[in-house]
Amino acid sequence: MSQKVLVTGTAGFIGFHLALALVKKGYEVVGMDVINDYYDVNLKYARLAQLGIEKKVIEYGKKVSGHPSISFIQLQLEDKEGVDRLFHNEKFDFVVNLAAQAGVRYSLTNPHAYLQSNIIGFLNILEACRHNPVKHLVYASSSSVYGLNESIPFEESQHTDHPVSLYAASKKSNEMMAHTYSHLYQIPTTGLRFFTVYGPWGRPDMALFLFTKAMKEGRSIDVFNHGNMQRDFTYIDDIVEGIIQSMVHQPVSGSDEFDPLNPNPSLSSAPFRVFNIGNNSPVPLMDYVREVEDALGKRAEINYLPLQAGDVPSTFASTDYLSKITGYKPSTPIKVGVKRFIEWYEEFYDEN
């Protein structure tokens, strides 16, 4: 029998790609998403359509079938009864929780959304795993937890006690909540600190999408911190492979790596882990802009602006620990990844 995986956030960018990849590897996937309007819901429904889930059959709380080995249920993380019922009925082997209220800047104006989805919602997932045991809970953290830390590359052993947005604080909270449940109830948990994921079917609020859309429409692009930024841009296929490898490498209790007299924040005597998942190769933002220009065959008109509140000038993931445990090795160059995104963008929006 194939193993069953719950992927929350399946209508989202990473969750959609993960669901496709898991099915290709022989897993049975149950997707879950509330399909909120944080960004264009038509893009979310289009992703689901690629999984064989048509908008017309979606009904809140009702499981529907898609392509072979994929089913879907529209459900809020905050719906405790609904989440409990789903876990009780499905008996999942693995859970990958990618559903969350995303966006650093949105958290400055809509803070309550982050407490509901990212804290209450995640608590419901933890409780469901407690009462319906799973082999492994993998969940989305974020590179934003590093906050004011300027010691790069960012390593999981560094402390993350100075977040600069509520979004980052909510992700830091997820890691602490997961550790508590790993310690108390022996639930194997792994948090993944994602670093600037990009690629086809990406989110409209991310830089590559914003740059491409503006330039194709003949508008200027906004570049913050006057262009003095770098990001560890990571292509979606590399991210997905890293998630799957993390999922099948469960942490165990009593790790010899953990020293209680000198505790490493990413390890524990409990079955708990935190990984960076990035490209391990930061790119100056202006180099990224030039790749977009080259792929589109046009120059960008640029508005240079100050650093935004809640943002940081640099991210750089050390992925040594993830590579050591899982063999993770990102392989997609920026030039290739940007070109693939733009090819998808032009095809998708020409058709729609």
Side-chain angles (χ1 to χ4, degrees), residues 221-272:
I221 65 172
D222 292 337
V223 171
F224 294 96
N225 205 36
H226 306 286
N228 298 313
M229 300 182 77
Q230 65 174 6
R231 287 288 182 270
D232 206 343
F233 295 103
T234 316
Y235 190 66
I236 183 62
D237 290 0
D238 294 326
I239 286 286
V240 165
E241 186 58 30
I243 295 172
I244 295 172
Q245 288 302 316
S246 299
M247 185 184 82
V248 300
H249 286 83
Q250 297 99 307
V252 296
S253 298
S255 170
D256 293 337
E257 296 180 90
F258 182 70
D259 178 1
L261 298 179
N262 185 28
N264 180 330
S266 65
L267 299 171
S268 178
S269 55
F272 165 91

Side-chain angles (χ1 to χ4, degrees), residues 59-75:
E59 180 182 338
Y60 186 86
K62 178 184 176 183
K63 183 182 171 186
V64 296
S65 296
H67 291 323
S69 300
I70 295 182
S71 56
F72 176 77
I73 183 168
Q74 185 183 30
L75 198 64

Side-chain angles (χ1 to χ4, degrees), residues 6-20 29-51 53 55 58 70-75 96 98-100 200-204 344 348:
L6 172 65
V7 178
T8 73
T10 325
F13 173 35
I14 301 175
F16 156 70
H17 282 280
L18 177 63
L20 282 175
V29 174
V30 177
M32 171 182 151
D33 204 297
V34 69
I35 317 178
N36 68 23
D37 61 358
Y38 169 62
Y39 61 81
D40 183 11
V41 295
N42 293 316
L43 177 57
K44 297 182 180 185
Y45 284 120
R47 293 184 185 125
L48 290 175
Q50 296 291 308
L51 303 175
I53 311 293
K55 179 181 179 180
I58 296 173
I70 295 182
S71 56
F72 176 77
I73 183 168
Q74 185 183 30
L75 198 64
V96 182
L98 301 175
W201 298 95
R203 276 179 21 212
W344 164 80
F348 181 77

Side-chain angles (χ1 to χ4, degrees), residues 19-184:
L20 282 175
L22 285 168
V23 168
K24 289 177 181 177
K25 289 180 179 288
Y27 292 92
E28 179 183 352
V29 174
V30 177
M32 171 182 151
D33 204 297
V34 69
I35 317 178
N36 68 23
D37 61 358
Y38 169 62
Y39 61 81
D40 183 11
V41 295
N42 293 316
L43 177 57
K44 297 182 180 185
Y45 284 120
R47 293 184 185 125
L48 290 175
Q50 296 291 308
L51 303 175
I53 311 293
E54 298 298 331
K55 179 181 179 180
K56 62 185 178 183
V57 305
I58 296 173
E59 180 182 338
Y60 186 86
K62 178 184 176 183
K63 183 182 171 186
V64 296
S65 296
H67 291 323
S69 300
I70 295 182
S71 56
F72 176 77
I73 183 168
Q74 185 183 30
L75 198 64
Q76 275 189 310
L77 288 178
E78 302 96 300
D79 183 346
K80 184 179 185 303
E81 290 185 2
V83 171
D84 288 345
R85 189 181 312 115
L86 179 66
F87 272 72
H88 176 75
N89 291 340
E90 297 294 336
K91 304 294 188 293
F92 298 113
D93 295 290
F94 299 98
V95 175
V96 182
N97 183 54
L98 301 175
Q101 179 56 61
V104 169
R105 284 172 286 284
Y106 191 72
S107 71
L108 304 181
T109 55
N110 296 273
H112 291 89
Y114 291 77
L115 271 289
Q116 289 298 315
S117 178
N118 298 9
I119 305 298
I120 301 301
F122 188 57
L123 175 61
N124 290 341
I125 292 291
L126 288 168
E127 278 287 291
C129 290
R130 171 189 173 189
H131 294 293
N132 304 273
V134 299
K135 295 178 181 178
H136 194 187
L137 166 62
V138 179
Y139 61 94
S141 184
S142 169
S143 62
S144 65
V145 300
Y146 288 102
L148 291 178
N149 178 24
E150 294 183 1
S151 177
I152 56 175
F154 296 151
E155 297 181 355
E156 298 92 339
S157 60
Q158 297 168 349
H159 288 276
T160 52
D161 300 326
H162 301 91
V164 295
S165 69
L166 188 64
Y167 171 71
S170 73
K171 290 301 185 179
K172 165 76 171 180
S173 299
N174 286 172
E175 295 179 4
M176 298 299 92
M177 294 164 71
H179 181 268
T180 301
Y181 273 68
S182 292
H183 173 74
L184 291 174

